[in-house]
């Protein structure tokens, strides 16, 4: 079992920044790839970013590349998502997830544990 708890969401103006955190417990965090997804009202869950167990490899959706940065601190069992230059279209509930299965890194089916989500709202 893995427990994931996100924090750091909120309301921000366009062009602003937020940093999301995801605290993990219940399994050896440092062995697993972790990801961030988001879901806007009326839309499907969308891949945002993922980071391998060592932090040596990161992957991003084209829509956030150059603006968002995923990182992790294995000593703190925490993964982060630094979001800069936020746009109204970034408004969504953001979820962190634990990757377990051999689907593509941007496929939600490859992730077996999910946090409860944190709301990010970007005003224009």
């Amino acid at each position: 079992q893995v427990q994931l708890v996100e924090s750091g969401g909120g309301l921000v103006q366009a062009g602003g920044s937020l940093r999301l955190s995801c605290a993990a417990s219940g399994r050896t965090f440092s062995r697993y790839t972790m990801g961030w997804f988001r879901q806007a009202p009326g839309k499907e869950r969308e891949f945002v970013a993922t980071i391998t167990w060592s932090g040596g490899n990161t992957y991003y959706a084209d829509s956030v590349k150059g603006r968002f940065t995923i990182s992790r601190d294995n000593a703190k069992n925490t993964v982060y998502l630094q979001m800069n230059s936020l746009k109204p279209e970034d408004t969504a509930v953001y979820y962190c997830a634990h990757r377990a299965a051999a689907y593509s890194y941007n496929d939600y089916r490859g992730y077996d544990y999910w946090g409860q989500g944190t709301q990010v709202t970007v005003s224009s």
Side-chain angles (χ1 to χ4, degrees), residues 1-2 4 27-29 31-35 37 50-53 72 96-114:
Q1 289 282 349
V2 177
L4 302 172
R27 187 176 282 184
T28 308
F29 174 79
R31 295 180 182 175
Y32 295 92
T33 293
M34 298 292 295
F37 288 73
T50 193
I51 185 166
T52 54
W53 67 272
R72 66 192 295 162
C96 71
H98 168 277
R99 186 161 184 247
Y103 289 93
S104 174
Y105 64 83
N106 60 352
D107 189 332
Y108 72 92
R109 295 175 295 175
Y111 295 78
D112 58 349
Y113 292 101
W114 296 80

